[in-house]
Amino acid sequence: MSLIVQKYGGSSVQDAESIKRVARRIVDTKNAGHQVVVVVSAMGDTTDDLLDLAADISEQPPLREMDILLSSGERMSMALLAMAIHELGEPAQSFTGSQAGMITEPHHGRARIIEVSPTRIKESVDAGHISIVAGFQGMSRESKDITTMGRGGSDTTAVALAAALDAAVCEIYSDVDGVFTADPRVVKSARKLDVVSSEDMLEMAAAGTKVLHLRSVEYARRFGVKLHVRSSFSDTEGTWVIPDEKDKVTLKEGDPLEQPIITGVSHDASEGKLTITGVPDVPGKAAEIFNHIAGAGINIDMIVQDVSVEHQTTNISFTLPGSDGDKAQRILLENKEAIGFQELSFVPQVGKVSLVGGGMRNHPGVSAKFFTALRDAGINIGLISTSEIRVSVITDIELLDKAVAAIHTAFGLDSDEEAKVYAGTGR
Ligand code: ASP
Ligand code: MG
């Protein structure tokens, strides 16, 4: 008998009907002879609604209370799902993150997992129950408080439990059939991938592909957890994310031995772009700027520095979460004199489009084709960044979808069939 961890996202449990449907699926898995541990997200847009509600009450709610509030979304769905399973005649028990032994750092809103001790979950499944665990939350031993792990964190809860319980597979259920060559909400001709290496999946998640939380991919890779990303609305085989490039893949007849050059196109609409002009061209200025930014706890993404004007001044641009823009501007303006720059400008929302594929590192011409596709679509490029297996550019936000589609087509990723999106808003 093998143990399977299944994670159901918000759109899979958005209302009573959906919860009943998911319950059926879980019971079917158990009847097929497996032990089942389920991780659930909050119903539909509950987490966003709770955030909106808190914002109506307080401009800066205490982070401790915010985590208690947000963790309640997952508690609603776990209890309702347990009831739905009981209705089908199967025993089920739901557990909060802390009951499930998810021990995290004390940082509210972005806590990382320190330890997973799922003793109660083991006892529960060994006693023949279906165990249901609230996603994206845990408890800090240090502060004794409830913590949450950041938006989309339920995937990481599921993978961490799968690793701790030595599960045969961690199934991530959402409202699309798997990982696609581009977001099927944006590119109708996107193709579902049967297998993705975890290296490519990491780049795609980092570049904005939302079907898996970035941290869950990292976690699965480190602990060798096999992921199967699939839809809760169909029985279609989804996408397998293989834990390690070096791990053996079982190839079917006719499968290519080498990985394809390009895996897919990812995009992200959550970043803003900050430009600092007239920065003195002397050693240490970038260090100064980015130390201030890091000190404010802001994650940055792409950075570009211009060639300096007659070795006197230069401009530095970088992207960051749009919501951190005000904070970043404030901290830089406070230090304007010390740094010695002339001006700041900020674009709160830019588009980022990335082409990802492990095969591109030894295929010249990928970037040329990428830029040609953007030119032919009349899209101007803000910033560029590359890695061995990724090329990313910043575009105007209005042109983002067009850029994704143009690149998807240029690299021959379009499929003849229309990709299915079963539910959800992609929010
Ligand atoms: N409910 C949380 C969110 O919306 C966690 C999750 O769904 O994974 O971000
Ligand atoms: Mg999610």
Side-chain angles (χ1 to χ4, degrees):
M1 184 162 44
S2 60
L3 188 146
I4 294 183
V5 174
Q6 298 187 328
K7 180 256 167 177
Y8 291 92
S11 56
S12 297
V13 291
Q14 61 193 357
D15 49 28
E17 274 321 303
S18 311
I19 291 175
K20 289 183 196 168
R21 187 172 47 80
V22 162
R24 179 82 266 160
R25 225 188 153 107
I26 295 167
V27 169
D28 287 347
T29 310
K30 186 176 182 222
N31 288 341
H34 303 289
Q35 289 189 319
V36 194
V37 174
V38 177
V39 173
V40 267
S41 288
M43 296 166 68
D45 288 332
T46 302
T47 308
D48 290 299
D49 296 343
L50 292 172
L51 281 166
D52 292 346
L53 202 53
D56 284 345
I57 287 178
S58 162
E59 235 171 70
Q60 276 190 315
L63 296 176
R64 178 184 186 279
E65 305 313 320
M66 206 62 218
D67 270 357
I68 294 185
L69 178 70
L70 293 186
S71 70
S72 67
E74 271 70 9
R75 291 184 177 213
M76 283 167 63
S77 41
M78 74 181 195
L80 293 168
L81 185 56
M83 292 175 196
I85 294 171
H86 272 280
E87 280 298 313
L88 298 173
E90 282 293 329
Q93 290 181 322
S94 65
F95 299 92
T96 65
S98 58
Q99 287 177 313
M102 302 291 302
I103 307 299
T104 73
E105 295 172 341
H107 308 299
H108 289 294
R110 56 182 173 94
R112 290 188 166 264
I113 299 168
I114 296 176
E115 192 191 307
V116 185
S117 315
T119 322
R120 293 199 64 188
I121 306 302
K122 260 196 220 118
E123 284 167 5
S124 167
V125 286
D126 285 343
H129 292 108
I130 292 167
S131 284
I132 302 168
V133 179
F136 125 107
Q137 56 188 278
M139 192 194 97
S140 159
R141 229 180 236 140
E142 213 178 306
S143 65
K144 311 248 185 323
D145 279 328
I146 299 296
T147 53
T148 65
M149 296 155 46
R151 299 306 306 273
S154 297
D155 295 345
T156 305
T157 302
V159 172
L161 276 174
L165 295 165
D166 201 15
V169 55
C170 181
E171 297 183 329
I172 307 281
Y173 285 93
S174 73
D175 47 25
V176 289
D177 280 323
V179 182
F180 281 75
T181 51
D183 186 339
R185 291 174 215 281
V186 174
V187 179
K188 286 283 166 229
S189 57
R191 220 163 8 88
K192 191 193 74 196
L193 297 159
D194 294 332
V195 182
V196 184
S197 73
S198 60
E199 190 187 22
D200 281 7
M201 196 61 236
L202 264 183
E203 286 276 3
M204 291 177 83
T209 295
K210 286 202 209 73
V211 69
L212 280 175
H213 194 223
L214 176 60
R215 276 161 60 190
S216 74
V217 185
E218 273 168 11
Y219 204 107
R221 193 171 188 209
R222 288 187 56 184
F223 296 97
V225 176
K226 242 189 252 157
L227 297 178
H228 186 187
V229 183
R230 56 194 310 195
S231 166
S232 68
F233 296 82
S234 79
D235 284 320
T236 317
E237 179 88 350
T239 303
W240 287 88
V241 183
I242 304 299
D244 194 330
E245 253 202 333
K246 287 154 245 118
D247 276 4
K248 281 204 190 112
V249 192
T250 332
L251 295 171
K252 288 188 256 71
E253 219 188 28
D255 281 349
L257 284 171
E258 271 188 325
Q259 66 188 131
I261 302 169
I262 300 301
T263 300
V265 185
S266 301
H267 74 273
D268 187 347
S270 69
E271 294 189 351
K273 182 175 83 170
L274 210 157
T275 301
I276 314 169
T277 53
V279 181
D281 191 15
V282 294
K285 286 298 158 187
E288 224 176 306
I289 289 169
F290 292 110
N291 273 315
H292 286 306
I293 297 294
I298 298 171
N299 276 326
I300 52 159
D301 181 19
M302 289 190 204
I303 308 175
V304 168
Q305 176 174 326
D306 285 352
V307 184
S308 65
V309 186
E310 290 170 354
H311 299 287
Q312 306 230 325
T313 64
T314 184
N315 305 328
I316 294 178
S317 295
F318 61 91
T319 61
L320 69 172
S323 51
D324 283 337
D326 289 344
K327 207 191 328 174
Q329 291 185 82
R330 206 179 326 118
I331 192 101
L332 290 172
L333 287 172
E334 276 165 21
N335 294 282
K336 185 174 179 189
E337 244 162 75
I339 303 169
F341 65 87
Q342 277 151 17
E343 258 172 78
L344 275 191
S345 63
F346 180 59
V347 183
Q349 200 186 12
V350 291
K352 177 171 130 184
V353 53
S354 306
L355 183 69
V356 176
M360 71 167 76
R361 72 183 109 217
N362 39 31
H363 279 85
V366 170
S367 316
K369 193 167 175 180
F370 178 84
F371 293 119
T372 306
L374 289 170
R375 179 201 65 195
D376 292 349
I379 291 162
N380 196 34
I381 295 165
L383 309 181
I384 303 174
S385 90
T386 59
S387 82
E388 278 206 310
I389 66 168
R390 178 185 51 77
V391 196
S392 307
V393 297
I394 294 298
T395 69
D396 281 352
I397 188 69
E398 303 79 43
L399 294 176
L400 179 58
D401 288 2
K402 193 177 173 196
V404 175
I407 294 163
H408 195 264
T409 303
F411 282 88
L413 296 170
D414 288 342
S415 139
D416 302 334
E417 279 168 55
E418 201 171 286
K420 276 201 204 83
V421 175
Y422 299 94
T425 53
R427 194 150 113 158

